[in-house]
Amino acid sequence: MKFIADRMLGKLARELRMLGYDTVYYRGENTYPLIKLAREEGRVILTRSTQFGSKRPEDRIVRITEDKPSLQLRELIQRKIISLLEEPPFSRCLVCNTLLIEIRREEAEGKVPDFIFYQQREFFRCPQCARVYWQGSHQDHMKKRIERLKNGR
Ligand SMILES: [Zn+2]
């Protein structure tokens, strides 16, 4: 399942990417390009807005009711829009949504802080924006988060 999140849902977009979901974050105010992109790419629209311009029966629009960003991911799970781990987690760039590629450890040297380089074994790079990722603290944090979400908390 692929998503497009409106400008109110930046944090949710990042978390969905962390879970591996292909998620476009649309920052514009005008909803027409958002709907157009959703139709072209078969994306489910995630929005906080109650009014959406032109609607067709094939448009899939999920209105997020929770206004706390920390609870919006749980809302998607509780409403069974997504289920955890149907996509490989940590496979996408959190910033630009591109699939990451694994790189050799040597390639990460100088591109991450030294202590990270010495601590970590596996590194990944975004082919689009060149950010380097590693199996680090944000992943541990998110893994714990996933565990809690599995237990409905
Ligand atoms: Zn990127």
Side-chain angles (χ1 to χ4, degrees), residues 1 5 10 18 21 28 32 42 52 61 67 77 83-84 95 103 105 114 123 128 134 136 146-147:
M1 194 181 297
M18 217 179 269
Y21 287 97
Y32 180 70
F52 241 84
I61 300 173
D67 52 36
I77 293 162
S83 69
L84 288 166
V95 177
I103 54 173
R105 192 162 176 269
D114 280 352
F123 293 92
Q128 185 67 33
W134 58 88
I146 290 170
E147 281 311 309

Side-chain angles (χ1 to χ4, degrees), residues 112-150:
V112 298
D114 280 352
F115 75 98
I116 296 290
F117 181 74
Y118 292 111
Q119 242 172 34
Q120 302 294 324
R121 291 277 153 263
E122 290 183 319
F123 293 92
F124 303 86
R125 191 171 62 84
C126 172
Q128 185 67 33
C129 72
R131 275 186 177 75
V132 174
Y133 291 85
W134 58 88
Q135 309 274 344
S137 55
H138 76 278
Q139 291 200 6
D140 292 342
H141 170 79
M142 197 63 196
K143 278 177 189 154
K144 283 185 192 132
R145 180 102 206 273
I146 290 170
E147 281 311 309
R148 284 199 303 274
L149 288 165
K150 275 187 193 160

Side-chain angles (χ1 to χ4, degrees), residues 92-98 100 126-131 133:
R92 284 179 186 278
C93 179
L94 301 185
V95 177
C96 75
N97 191 42
T98 307
L100 301 177
C126 172
Q128 185 67 33
C129 72
R131 275 186 177 75
Y133 291 85

Side-chain angles (χ1 to χ4, degrees), residues 2-96:
K2 297 192 288 185
F3 296 99
I4 183 164
D6 78 1
R7 64 198 181 96
M8 306 281 287
L9 297 170
K11 182 167 196 269
L12 181 62
R14 236 178 118 86
E15 289 196 317
L16 282 168
R17 286 172 186 165
M18 217 179 269
L19 290 177
Y21 287 97
D22 180 342
T23 307
V24 170
Y25 177 40
Y26 179 78
R27 289 179 180 77
E29 293 202 20
N30 183 353
T31 56
Y32 180 70
L34 186 156
I35 294 175
K36 188 167 177 280
L37 188 65
R39 284 176 188 159
E40 282 167 3
E41 300 187 352
R43 294 180 183 277
V44 175
I45 296 169
L46 301 172
T47 181
R48 288 273 299 138
S49 168
T50 48
Q51 45 223 335
F52 241 84
S54 63
K55 253 182 262 176
R56 287 196 217 152
E58 71 267 28
D59 291 339
R60 287 175 296 168
I61 300 173
V62 173
R63 195 173 100 71
I64 301 291
T65 57
E66 190 59 70
D67 52 36
K68 282 200 190 122
S70 59
L71 299 177
Q72 289 166 346
L73 188 64
R74 194 179 67 180
E75 179 182 343
L76 282 182
I77 293 162
Q78 284 175 343
R79 289 168 63 190
K80 307 212 186 307
I81 311 286
I82 60 169
S83 69
L84 288 166
L85 308 182
E86 56 191 356
E87 302 285 340
F90 315 118
S91 55
R92 284 179 186 278
C93 179
L94 301 185
V95 177
C96 75

